[in-house]
Amino acid sequence: GAGVSQTPSNKVTEKGKYVELRCDPISGHTALYWYRQSLGQGPEFLIYFQGTGAADDSGLPNDRFFAVRPEGSVSTLKIQRTERGDSAVYLCASSPTSGGIGELFFGEGSRLTVL
Amino acid sequence: AQSVTQLDSQVPVFEEAPVELRCNYSSSVSVYLFWYVQYPNQGLQLLLKYLSGSTLVKGINGFEAEFNKSQTSFHLRKPSVHISDTAEYFCAVSEGGYQKVTFGTGTKLQVIP
């Protein structure tokens, strides 16, 4: 099927390492979201793209986190100098519309474990 | 700033019994409201949404929710649950005209045979 694809599905890394998580949205979807879900918590908003630009990055916890979407399709979430507290499932979602009124189509997530 | 509160972290209910999952939101402007469901080992999917108009919204799998502006609530209901409804349910809010969608902490519905 042509759903939202996230890679890798699982990533184990050591504290201090650099990590990239990739999201391939549904073709034609202009909006793309990144969320982080820790155990027992709901999805926590990180950043939202409309096209190539980050329309809202207010949820990025600090400057170790960065995301890009250079061609308005695939997006990469980049985490520098990983910490144990970064361990979580990182969710990507895409939507055909902006304005928060459209359905978000979620991928199955990338589980990040920082040792 | 928008926020969502789901008071119940877990709700056990017997099969064929009715269920209500509670959601309250906080916002200073008009809102759009959503319920998403996450089945075991699957991604989140939309159950239903309220944008405007009728305050009673019907979704998939027999679920419905009612928007109550005075009580700032958007509770999810189903008159008779099935085993297959066992999942985690998330309420979410987006302030009108603003793109960020904020999720609650989730309610795990456990249907007991």
Side-chain angles (χ1 to χ4, degrees):
Chain A
V4 176
S5 175
Q6 291 188 247
T7 54
S9 55
N10 277 285
K11 176 69 176 179
V12 180
T13 190
E14 293 180 343
K15 180 175 178 291
K17 298 291 187 182
Y18 170 80
V19 166
E20 287 191 354
L21 306 176
R22 175 189 168 106
C23 173
D24 201 338
I26 293 173
S27 178
H29 281 194
T30 57
L32 185 146
Y33 298 75
W34 282 100
Y35 287 85
R36 176 170 70 175
Q37 188 173 20
S38 301
L39 196 62
Q41 301 295 317
E44 173 194 8
F45 172 80
L46 295 178
I47 187 170
Y48 155 69
F49 287 90
Q50 180 59 37
T52 60
D56 185 343
D57 64 357
S58 62
L60 294 177
N62 51 59
D63 61 6
R64 295 186 298 105
F65 287 75
F66 190 70
V68 295
R69 195 185 185 198
E71 297 179 356
S73 178
V74 171
S75 176
T76 304
L77 178 66
K78 307 180 180 191
I79 310 174
Q80 298 177 322
R81 305 183 304 280
T82 52
E83 300 177 356
R84 292 193 180 88
D86 298 335
S87 296
V89 177
Y90 288 82
L91 301 172
C92 178
S94 68
S95 176
T97 60
S98 61
I101 65 174
E103 176 176 354
L104 299 185
F105 293 82
F106 282 86
E108 294 193 1
S110 291
R111 182 178 298 277
L112 175 65
T113 302
V114 182
L115 301 177
Chain B
Q2 60 191 33
S3 66
V4 175
T5 301
Q6 292 183 249
L7 292 172
D8 305 305
S9 59
Q10 294 191 53
V11 173
V13 62
F14 285 103
E15 193 174 15
E16 297 184 4
V19 70
E20 178 180 85
L21 305 183
R22 296 181 293 168
C23 172
N24 288 89
Y25 69 92
S26 174
S27 174
S28 57
V29 299
S30 61
V31 295
Y32 302 141
L33 293 158
F34 310 85
W35 276 98
Y36 281 79
V37 59
Q38 187 171 31
Y39 297 105
N41 301 314
Q42 294 186 28
L44 285 139
Q45 56 184 279
L46 183 68
L47 200 57
L48 49 79
K49 63 182 177 183
Y50 170 79
L51 302 182
S52 65
S54 173
T55 57
L56 184 62
V57 180
K58 294 189 183 297
I60 60 173
N61 299 337
F63 283 92
E64 62 182 32
E66 185 160 18
F67 170 58
N68 188 318
K69 187 175 181 179
S70 62
Q71 297 187 5
T72 60
S73 69
F74 190 56
H75 301 332
L76 181 70
R77 302 184 182 100
K78 186 170 183 178
S80 175
V81 296
H82 300 134
I83 292 290
S84 58
D85 294 323
T86 295
E88 190 158 18
Y89 293 79
F90 294 92
C91 184
V93 63
S94 176
E95 292 184 333
Y98 187 60
Q99 299 89 345
K100 185 166 81 172
V101 181
T102 301
F103 286 80
T105 52
T107 298
K108 290 182 180 176
L109 174 63
Q110 182 187 7
V111 180
I112 305 164

